[in-house]
Amino acid sequence: NAGVTQTPKFRVLKTGQSMTLLCAQDMNHEYMYWYRQDPGMGLRLIHYSVGEGTTAKGEVPDGYNVSRLKKQNFLLGLESAAPSQTSVYFCASSYSSGSEQYFGPGTRLTVT
Amino acid sequence: AQSVTQPDIHITVSEGASLELRCNYSYGATPYLFWYVQSPGQGLQLLLKYFSGDTLVQGIKGFEAEFKRSQSSFNLRKPSVHWSDAAEYFCAVWGGGNKLTFGTGTQLKVEL
């Protein structure tokens, strides 16, 4: 099992550009999450999904959109990137809402 | 709303010394509690979790944690630290709903 994978690993964008981050899991988990990690702030939840076709906002959803068209994939989109979105992005999945979350290796995004 | 505090941003210990990382939570009932470890450039890996029952839980890599309801704490311990334990450690709490709340992390440095 690959677990949770993320594509790409690194990306540099110019302000105003758009991009999509892809997360895939092979554990048949219902729940999937997108976090951003910034120094001294821990992990903050951007959006999450409780099953195929569902999405919901987390703590810091502004400037991001998500889609969960297939159970195994969870996409995070930035429509118009801003320097404040420079961060490391982690995807995670879990069997249920209170169970252990499995994390991907992260995507380091720089917006100039 | 649930919250987690990790009072120590940085901790330095000598290899072979004992380790205790502090975690305090705020939640009205007994939450589910987790400790994760993040090595540089990697995603988060679960060390251990507490759901109910025995308040002393054992995890991977020789770590353990003790849930103390009276102190709202879930401190992580290791009797003898190895150089490979240098990493960032995150405490997390789940109090219902779809959200896992993370602390801001403790960076552990191990001196040889």
Side-chain angles (χ1 to χ4, degrees):
Chain A
N1 286 350
V4 179
T5 58
Q6 292 183 232
T7 309
K9 288 185 168 50
F10 303 93
R11 187 71 188 268
V12 178
L13 289 179
K14 294 187 187 303
T15 298
Q17 288 184 320
S18 63
M19 77 163 294
T20 300
L21 306 183
L22 171 63
C23 175
Q25 53 96 4
D26 61 3
M27 295 173 282
N28 202 34
H29 285 165
E30 291 292 337
Y31 287 69
M32 295 188 75
Y33 313 83
W34 276 107
Y35 293 92
R36 60 178 289 171
Q37 183 179 34
D38 303 290
M41 303 191 74
L43 277 80
R44 293 182 292 169
L45 183 64
I46 304 171
H47 286 281
Y48 64 96
S49 168
V50 301
E52 181 179 313
T54 75
T55 63
K57 294 180 180 180
E59 296 175 72
V60 289
D62 293 343
Y64 304 95
N65 56 76
V66 288
S67 64
R68 184 108 181 262
L69 299 179
K70 293 183 179 181
K71 185 177 184 178
Q72 63 268 33
N73 295 338
F74 195 30
L75 279 62
L76 177 71
L78 286 72
E79 291 185 347
S80 180
S84 61
Q85 295 178 304
T86 294
S87 188
V88 181
Y89 292 86
F90 287 99
C91 176
S93 71
S94 67
Y95 174 73
S96 66
S97 61
S99 62
E100 171 188 356
Q101 292 187 13
Y102 293 80
F103 283 80
T107 295
R108 184 172 293 275
L109 174 66
T110 301
V111 183
T112 61
Chain B
Q2 64 217 36
S3 66
V4 179
T5 301
Q6 293 182 248
D8 303 305
I9 299 173
H10 299 280
I11 282 186
T12 300
V13 299
S14 298
E15 190 176 35
S18 63
L19 172 69
E20 183 168 28
L21 302 182
R22 296 183 290 166
C23 172
N24 293 97
Y25 68 89
S26 174
Y27 181 64
T30 299
Y32 293 177
L33 295 158
F34 305 83
W35 273 101
Y36 285 85
V37 61
Q38 184 182 29
S39 297
Q42 304 294 317
L44 278 71
Q45 179 185 20
L46 183 73
L47 284 175
L48 47 79
K49 59 191 176 189
Y50 173 78
F51 288 172
S52 64
D54 192 347
T55 57
L56 185 63
V57 294
Q58 302 297 321
I60 62 171
K61 305 184 181 188
F63 286 91
E64 66 179 26
E66 186 171 12
F67 169 61
K68 292 186 177 180
R69 186 193 310 274
S70 61
Q71 298 176 20
S72 298
S73 69
F74 189 55
N75 294 349
L76 182 71
R77 302 194 294 245
K78 187 170 185 178
S80 177
V81 170
H82 188 262
W83 65 266
S84 60
D85 293 325
E88 190 158 22
Y89 292 80
F90 292 93
C91 182
V93 60
W94 182 78
N98 295 312
K99 188 172 177 297
L100 189 63
T101 300
F102 287 86
T104 52
T106 297
Q107 188 72 47
L108 174 65
K109 180 180 176 182
V110 180
E111 290 184 332
L112 301 177

